[in-house]
Amino acid sequence: MPMSQTAASSIIDFLSIVEQLKRTKRTGWVNSGVAAPESIADHMYRMSIMAMLIQDNALDRTKCIKMALVHDLAEALVGDITPFDGIDKQEKAARERQAMREIVQTLGNSE
């Protein structure tokens, strides 16, 4: 069954949000003066590769890979908030939860 234009548009909107992760440098590295700091997407990719290399049978490798791929997704909208940014943990968590709601809604899912 072909994808509807609405579904394709939703995916493009989602991918546009995700693209911000490639353009946003990790705040901790920027603030520390690291030359050519990694992006949030670079970090997520490396974490995913690390998860793929897990050899512990007590862990669900597929779940770990998926978690690594999405663990900083909210930062596409809220930025890379560090402990030194003066935003308390509860506020950071609230911002990230709201960002994830918005991202999920982009894909047509309100769960």
Side-chain angles (χ1 to χ4, degrees):
M1 176 199 274
M3 183 183 303
S4 73
Q5 188 169 359
T6 303
S9 178
S10 293
I11 291 170
I12 291 169
D13 290 345
F14 171 77
L15 293 174
S16 294
I17 292 170
V18 171
E19 182 179 1
Q20 294 306 309
L21 297 168
K22 290 177 24 180
R23 301 180 191 290
T24 306
K25 301 300 181 187
R26 302 226 29 232
T27 304
W29 297 131
V30 171
N31 292 347
S32 296
V34 172
E38 70 181 351
S39 69
I40 297 168
D42 294 332
H43 166 71
M44 292 167 66
Y45 175 75
R46 183 187 350 256
M47 294 300 297
S48 301
I49 294 295
M50 290 171 64
M52 185 179 70
L53 297 172
I54 291 173
Q55 297 295 317
D56 186 338
N57 290 332
L59 297 174
D60 181 340
R61 185 185 326 185
T62 301
K63 183 175 182 178
C64 290
I65 293 167
K66 289 177 180 181
M67 287 172 58
L69 282 170
V70 301
H71 80 279
D72 283 335
L73 192 56
E75 293 181 12
L77 298 180
V78 300
D80 185 19
I81 300 169
T82 73
F84 303 104
D85 289 333
I87 298 170
D88 66 45
K89 289 181 181 182
Q90 292 80 13
E91 176 62 21
K92 178 184 179 195
R95 290 181 187 188
E96 291 179 347
R97 272 192 307 275
Q98 180 57 36
M100 287 306 296
R101 284 187 199 103
E102 292 175 27
I103 291 168
V104 168
Q105 287 175 351
T106 301
L107 292 170
N109 187 344
S110 60
E111 294 180 25

